[in-house]
């Protein structure tokens, strides 16, 4: 009991200081404490940030299991507000999303207060799916940027070579789009996947290709003033 309490105290100190730790080399008490901290953060859906706390230290402290395994932190002002930018990172999906990825979104809603949400990037392509890019663009030309995730999946397929059918693998790509919705009744931001069919975005391998194939906003040209008859 005393050893468990000491382990928990040491882990909390490491998290507060932002120092690295490695669950595979730590006693079970360390891992259990980290899981409890993360579970509480996700359940509450709210995280308090210390003044002047760096992004990585903040995320390691409140999500000590997921964030250290990610390594792809994105900081971007998706939803403009006076409290700062949103934080995004992805991890391999859990038991309910074993073939996809989970996208963590931390959105500041008050000073040093973040809403914590997880968007599921589940696989709809039939096999293990990997996130290759996360970026933002105004997809529907309404002045508000959407969050785009580019997913990659390698599938077993038949190929005909020199008259013979062979089994191989072919890489497929899918772009999934998420929109920012109005805040909930509790004031927390909400996001929703945009499932509008967009066949022109199918099988594009890079974010640059996706951007190039998005509809371009047509510039409005001013018509010449009509001449007034003399």
């Amino acid at each position: 009991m005393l050893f468990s309490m000491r382990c928990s105290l040491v882990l909390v100190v490491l998290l507060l200081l932002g120092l690295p730790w490695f669950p595979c080399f730590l006693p079970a008490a360390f891992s259990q404490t980290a899981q409890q901290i993360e579970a509480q953060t996700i359940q509450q859906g709210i995280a308090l940030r210390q003044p002047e706390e760096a992004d990585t230290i903040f995320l390691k402290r409140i999500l000590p299991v997921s964030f250290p395994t990610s390594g792809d932190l994105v900081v971007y002002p998706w939803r403009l507000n006076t409290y700062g930018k949103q934080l995004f990172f992805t991890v391999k999906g859990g038991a309910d999303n074993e073939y996809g990825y989970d996208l963590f979104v931390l959105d500041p809603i008050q000073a040093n207060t973040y809403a914590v949400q997880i968007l599921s990037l589940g696989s709809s392509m039939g096999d293990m799916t990997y996130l290759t890019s996360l970026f933002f663009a105004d997809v529907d030309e309404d002045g508000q940027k959407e969050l785009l995730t580019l997913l990659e999946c390698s599938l077993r397929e038949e190929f005909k070579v020199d008259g013979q059918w062979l089994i191989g693998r072919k890489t497929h790509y899918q772009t999934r789009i998420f929109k920012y919705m109005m805040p909930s009744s509790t004031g927390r931001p909400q996001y929703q996947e945009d499932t509008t069919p967009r066949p022109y975005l199918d099988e594009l391998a890079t974010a640059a290709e996706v951007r190039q194939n998005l509809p371009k906003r047509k510039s409005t040209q001013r018509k010449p003033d009509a001449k007034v008859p003399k």
Side-chain angles (χ1 to χ4, degrees), residues 101-142:
Y101 273 74
D102 289 336
L103 171 61
F104 282 78
V105 181
L106 288 88
D107 199 333
I109 55 176
Q110 296 178 9
N112 295 319
T113 304
Y114 286 72
V116 181
Q117 299 188 48
I118 302 177
L119 304 181
S120 176
L121 304 180
S123 174
S124 60
M125 292 187 279
D127 206 337
M128 189 69 69
T129 301
Y130 301 92
L131 176 71
T132 64
S133 184
L134 185 154
F135 56 104
F136 301 84
D138 186 358
V139 176
D140 49 13
E141 301 182 278
D142 62 352

Side-chain angles (χ1 to χ4, degrees), residues 15 18-19 21 23 34 38 42 54-75 87-92 102 104 106:
L15 295 173
L19 298 177
W21 64 281
E38 178 152 328
I42 295 174
D55 294 334
T56 54
I57 295 178
F58 169 54
L59 293 171
K60 286 179 182 178
R61 178 172 59 82
I62 65 168
L63 297 167
V65 176
S66 294
F67 182 68
T69 66
S70 174
D72 65 349
L73 175 62
V74 174
V75 183
L87 309 177
F88 308 85
F89 72 89
T90 56
V91 296
K92 190 70 185 68
D102 289 336
F104 282 78
L106 288 88

Side-chain angles (χ1 to χ4, degrees), residues 78 86 105 107 117 119 179-181 189-193:
W78 181 22
Q86 289 74 46
V105 181
D107 199 333
Q117 299 188 48
L119 304 181
K179 299 175 65 70
Y180 168 71
M181 311 300 291
Q190 300 183 99
Y191 319 98
Q192 180 178 337
E193 183 172 6

Side-chain angles (χ1 to χ4, degrees), residues 3-216:
F3 175 75
S4 177
M5 293 177 62
R6 287 178 177 175
C7 290
S8 301
L9 179 60
V10 172
L11 178 57
V12 170
V13 172
L14 289 175
L15 295 173
L16 290 175
L17 294 177
L19 298 177
W21 64 281
F22 304 94
C24 56
F25 298 112
L26 293 177
F30 280 92
S31 179
Q32 183 178 6
T33 301
Q35 292 172 0
Q36 291 173 347
I37 293 174
E38 178 152 328
Q40 184 178 20
T41 298
I42 295 174
Q43 181 179 11
Q44 292 178 344
I46 289 290
L48 300 181
R49 184 170 184 170
Q50 299 175 359
E52 306 301 326
E53 188 175 27
D55 294 334
T56 54
I57 295 178
F58 169 54
L59 293 171
K60 286 179 182 178
R61 178 172 59 82
I62 65 168
L63 297 167
V65 176
S66 294
F67 182 68
T69 66
S70 174
D72 65 349
L73 175 62
V74 174
V75 183
Y76 189 83
W78 181 22
R79 182 180 71 90
L80 296 178
N81 61 67
T82 59
Y83 302 115
K85 302 176 182 179
Q86 289 74 46
L87 309 177
F88 308 85
F89 72 89
T90 56
V91 296
K92 190 70 185 68
D96 57 344
N97 185 23
E98 58 180 350
Y99 290 112
Y101 273 74
D102 289 336
L103 171 61
F104 282 78
V105 181
L106 288 88
D107 199 333
I109 55 176
Q110 296 178 9
N112 295 319
T113 304
Y114 286 72
V116 181
Q117 299 188 48
I118 302 177
L119 304 181
S120 176
L121 304 180
S123 174
S124 60
M125 292 187 279
D127 206 337
M128 189 69 69
T129 301
Y130 301 92
L131 176 71
T132 64
S133 184
L134 185 154
F135 56 104
F136 301 84
D138 186 358
V139 176
D140 49 13
E141 301 182 278
D142 62 352
Q144 171 67 45
K145 289 186 177 182
E146 282 72 44
L147 184 155
L148 291 81
T149 58
L150 182 58
L151 305 176
E152 174 185 310
C153 180
S154 179
L155 298 177
R156 290 171 57 88
E157 296 184 8
E158 288 187 335
F159 298 88
K160 193 172 186 179
V161 180
D162 296 331
Q164 294 184 344
W165 287 99
L166 304 176
I167 301 296
R169 301 191 75 90
K170 182 178 180 181
T171 302
H172 294 270
Y173 298 92
Q174 179 187 60
T175 300
R176 295 181 62 178
I177 301 171
F178 293 87
K179 299 175 65 70
Y180 168 71
M181 311 300 291
M182 295 298 293
S184 66
S185 58
T186 61
R188 299 187 185 184
Q190 300 183 99
Y191 319 98
Q192 180 178 337
E193 183 172 6
D194 185 347
T195 57
T196 303
R198 294 183 173 88
Y200 51 87
L201 298 183
D202 291 344
E203 302 297 349
L204 301 179
T206 66
E209 290 181 275
V210 174
R211 291 183 186 277
Q212 291 174 359
N213 282 271
L214 290 174
K216 301 295 188 298

